[in-house]
């Protein structure tokens, strides 16, 4: 027996970590390292391929020379006094930026807290309110970090699936065509239900929940006294009308915590600056949990994010970033239209595009449907890929044959519903235009396997 094996036997991991399947990220990275087509064009993970705007990076450099920005953020505020963690300047900037969006004055002292990225902020919310046996409802497909974040404090997850477009295999559709069955949602609620998580704009679908959909969800939450965690980290990238859950009514706002991300807003996901907003009585406990998880978040980058919120309007940044990202979506999706270009008059009259996609209403992810890609029957997939759903095989195939990395979305589903997404792949378009063009050129190679 090896030392590693004996140590595993002597010190087994906690059940919450043991027996987990190899996750999608490690499989995609493994394929990328092994691919004969190099360098890989990474269209998989949702990190930006370019820097934040100069007025924000300059602010970060300047903050490094300030003594207080290099210490805990802040050093004097105490939760016992009703003051919450985070640099005062950033909390004030966020409150000022969001007050007109919420249609009311947001109190920076009591209704905003800063966290180490939106993900840690959500973990703090779960730690604050979820106890052993409490149930949390999430929608499939889901952001995979929700699962461990809910299970860590002992929560039980109830899943409700978004239904993909019925014509998704044959026609270009809108992300808005992914539908939620309200009867199924209501059926999932019971006296143990403590919280629901809503993600709009949605990752990976790109759906923006309509005002009527949000109202129907919220009405059920009010009726059943359920907390709402509204994950709105892509809130500055809507391409269709966007409604914030907390704006529906004062009654709904009283039980809603809104999640935001400076990293997503300003192209700096590695900075890990997130924020949560909501009623003081809820934010108080989120801040308390955050303090016990990591005490404080990076002070110098909070200062730079504050400048981002303060000066974004001055530079026209919000409109510019939205228009640029929407342009990237359209630029990239053109390759799927192109793959169906007709070669003769008969085909013009009868053709169906060979690669379909779901056009996002917000965010920077695109789901494309590869039902008409014919994977070779004798292709040599490794066993841990061969046993997975078709989207894992498609992802592995694209990496190995074309050098394009993309994410199979069935890992964002329960076993029961995985087959809903087995023909889809997720692409992140938050890359330089040159990278998008490289990806498109390589994807044109799919023609040889399309029927």
């Amino acid at each position: 027996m090896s030392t590693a094996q004996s140590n595993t036997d002597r010190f087994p991991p906690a059940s919450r970590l043991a027996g987990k399947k190899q996750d999608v990220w490690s499989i995609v990275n493994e394929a990328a390292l092994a691919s004969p087509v190099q360098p890989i064009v990474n269209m998989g993970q949702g990190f930006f391929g370019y820097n934040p705007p100069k007025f924000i990076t300059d602010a970060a450099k300047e903050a490094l020379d300030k003594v207080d920005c290099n210490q805990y953020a802040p050093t004097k505020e105490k939760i016992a006094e009703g003051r919450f963690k985070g640099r005062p300047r950033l909390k004030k900037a966020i409150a000022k930026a969001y007050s007109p969006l919420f249609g009311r004055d947001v109190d920076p002292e009591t209704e905003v807290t800063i966290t180490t990225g939106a993900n840690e902020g959500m973990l703090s919310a779960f730690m604050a309110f979820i106890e052993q046996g409490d149930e949390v409802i999430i929608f499939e497909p889901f952001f995979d970090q929700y699962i461990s974040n809910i299970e860590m404090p002992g929560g039980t997850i109830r899943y409700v699936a978004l239904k993909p477009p019925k014509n998704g295999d044959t026609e270009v559709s809108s992300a808005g065509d992914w539908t939620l069955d309200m009867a199924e949602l209501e059926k999932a609620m019971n006296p143990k239900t403590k919280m629901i998580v809503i993600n709009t704009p949605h990752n990976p679908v790109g759906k923006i929940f309509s005002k009527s959909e949000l109202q129907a969800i919220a009405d059920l939450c009010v009726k059943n006294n359920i907390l709402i965690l509204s994950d709105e980290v892509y809130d500055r990238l809507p391409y269709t009308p966007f409604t914030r859950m907390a704006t529906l009514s004062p009654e709904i706002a009283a039980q809603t915590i809104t999640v935001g991300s400076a990293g997503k807003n300003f192209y700096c996901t590695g900075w890990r600056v997130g924020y949560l907003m909501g009623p003081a009585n809820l934010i108080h406990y989120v801040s308390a949990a955050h303090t016990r998880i990591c005490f404080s978040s990076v002070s110098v980058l909070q200062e730079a994010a504050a400048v981002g919120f303060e000066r974004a309007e001055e530079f026209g940044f919000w409109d510019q970033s939205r228009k640029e990202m929407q342009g990237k979506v359209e630029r990239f999706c053109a390759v799927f239209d192109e793959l169906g270009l007709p070669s003769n008059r008969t085909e013009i009259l009868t053709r169906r595009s060979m690669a379909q996609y779901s056009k996002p209403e917000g965010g920077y992810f695109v789901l494309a449907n590869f039902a008409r890609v014919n994977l070779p029957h004798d292709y040599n997939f490794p066993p841990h890929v061969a046993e997975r759903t078709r989207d894992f095989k498609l992802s592995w195939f694209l990496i190995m044959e074309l050098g394009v990395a993309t994410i199979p979305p069935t890992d964002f589903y329960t076993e029961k519903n995985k087959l809903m997404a087995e023909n889809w792949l997720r692409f992140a378009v938050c890359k330089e235009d040159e990278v998008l063009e490289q990806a498109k050129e390589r994807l044109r190679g799919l023609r040889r396997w399309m029927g």
Side-chain angles (χ1 to χ4, degrees):
M1 182 182 295
S2 70
T3 301
Q5 286 176 319
S6 62
N7 276 343
T8 300
D9 293 337
R10 290 173 59 206
F11 307 110
S15 59
R16 71 178 71 94
L17 298 176
K20 300 293 185 183
K21 259 187 174 180
Q22 188 176 358
D23 65 45
V24 61
W25 314 107
S26 60
I27 290 176
V28 169
N29 289 337
E30 174 192 343
L33 289 172
S35 175
V37 185
Q38 297 289 341
I40 295 295
V41 179
N42 189 350
M43 298 294 293
Q45 291 169 292
F47 57 80
F48 293 89
Y50 38 89
N51 277 332
K54 189 174 183 298
F55 73 93
I56 295 176
T57 55
D58 284 348
K61 295 170 187 176
E62 292 171 10
L64 283 168
D65 291 328
K66 298 177 181 178
V67 173
D68 62 321
C69 288
N70 289 289
Q71 310 308 319
Y72 296 127
T75 57
K76 295 181 180 179
E77 293 184 323
K78 298 178 181 178
I79 286 184
E81 297 172 356
R83 292 169 172 253
F84 304 121
K85 290 292 175 181
R87 290 197 64 79
R89 183 177 182 180
L90 177 55
K91 293 191 299 178
K92 289 176 183 175
I94 289 171
K96 184 176 180 180
Y98 279 89
S99 289
L101 301 177
F102 285 133
R104 67 175 185 85
D105 289 336
V106 175
D107 186 337
E109 294 295 336
T110 64
E111 296 182 322
V112 180
T113 193
I114 309 303
T115 59
T116 308
N119 186 42
E120 188 268 326
M122 286 185 277
L123 174 61
S124 296
F126 296 130
M127 287 291 189
F129 295 105
I130 301 303
E131 295 188 286
Q132 192 73 37
D134 287 340
E135 295 187 2
V136 180
I137 294 174
I138 65 174
F139 300 151
E140 299 177 74
F142 45 75
F143 175 50
D144 56 343
Q145 289 295 309
Y146 292 161
I147 308 305
S148 58
N149 284 353
I150 293 167
E151 291 178 343
M152 285 285 182
T156 298
I157 303 170
R158 298 295 178 197
Y159 301 90
V160 179
L162 294 176
K163 304 296 193 302
K166 292 180 180 179
N167 59 353
D169 288 356
T170 58
E171 297 178 14
V172 176
S173 57
S174 165
D177 295 334
W178 292 66
T179 56
L180 175 65
D181 186 323
M182 292 299 170
E184 283 187 25
L185 176 59
E186 186 169 19
K187 187 178 178 181
M189 295 177 174
N190 63 69
K192 293 183 179 180
T193 308
K194 187 71 171 288
M195 186 181 290
I196 186 171
V197 181
I198 297 161
N199 180 204
T200 180
H202 187 276
N203 170 19
V205 172
K207 174 185 176 70
I208 288 180
F209 285 85
S210 68
K211 185 174 182 179
S212 61
E213 287 175 316
L214 292 178
Q215 187 68 58
I217 295 167
D219 288 345
L220 289 173
C221 291
V222 171
K223 175 183 175 183
N224 292 280
N225 197 34
I226 296 169
L227 282 171
I228 300 167
L229 188 64
S230 190
D231 179 359
E232 299 178 10
V233 296
Y234 304 102
D235 69 329
R236 297 292 182 167
L237 296 172
Y239 315 130
T240 60
F242 173 56
T243 299
R244 300 171 188 277
M245 176 63 83
T247 65
L248 293 177
S249 73
E251 186 178 25
I252 293 165
Q255 59 194 75
T256 300
I257 299 170
T258 301
V259 183
S261 169
K264 298 289 196 301
N265 288 340
F266 300 124
Y267 318 152
C268 50
T269 56
W271 286 17
R272 312 310 296 147
V273 178
Y275 48 96
L276 276 68
M277 302 170 288
N281 64 308
L282 300 182
I283 294 299
H284 177 88
Y285 294 107
V286 174
S287 294
H290 163 72
T291 303
R292 286 153 181 79
I293 293 169
C294 59
F295 184 69
S296 178
S297 301
V298 181
S299 185
V300 69
L301 299 178
Q302 289 187 48
E303 190 76 359
V307 173
F309 282 107
E310 290 168 354
R311 305 192 67 187
E313 294 285 358
E314 173 189 343
F315 285 93
F317 175 73
W318 301 127
D319 285 341
Q320 176 188 341
S321 64
R322 177 180 51 78
K323 289 175 183 177
E324 286 182 355
M325 195 65 73
Q326 188 171 15
K328 289 178 184 295
V329 169
E330 293 171 355
R331 175 191 288 266
F332 180 68
C333 287
V335 73
F336 300 124
D337 297 324
E338 191 180 317
L339 284 169
L341 287 176
S343 58
N344 56 54
R345 178 63 180 170
T346 302
E347 198 174 349
I348 290 175
L349 297 175
T350 63
R351 76 178 177 93
R352 293 185 304 174
S353 179
M354 291 185 177
Q356 306 302 342
Y357 57 96
S358 182
K359 191 170 183 179
E361 297 178 316
Y364 47 69
F365 294 113
V366 174
L367 282 179
N369 189 300
F370 289 82
R372 300 187 71 192
V373 172
N374 300 312
L375 293 174
H377 295 298
D378 57 350
Y379 197 79
N380 187 27
F381 293 107
H384 63 286
V385 174
E387 69 181 13
R388 305 291 282 259
T389 42
R390 187 171 186 268
D391 59 325
F392 273 84
K393 299 179 185 70
L394 285 164
S395 175
W396 186 275
F397 186 78
L398 261 64
I399 294 171
M400 288 296 176
E401 300 301 321
L402 303 178
V404 178
T406 182
I407 298 299
T410 58
D411 227 35
F412 309 144
Y413 281 84
T414 57
E415 288 295 329
K416 173 185 174 183
N417 291 318
K418 280 185 183 296
L419 294 182
M420 285 185 181
E422 68 169 349
N423 289 320
W424 299 83
L425 291 173
R426 190 194 79 172
F427 295 83
V429 303
C430 49
K431 314 296 179 182
E432 290 278 15
D433 287 347
E434 179 183 355
V435 173
L436 299 182
E437 292 302 322
Q438 290 173 353
K440 287 165 63 178
E441 181 58 35
R442 293 189 183 189
L443 287 170
R444 291 181 182 110
L446 278 173
R447 284 191 177 96
R448 62 183 289 199
W449 294 288
M450 301 181 94

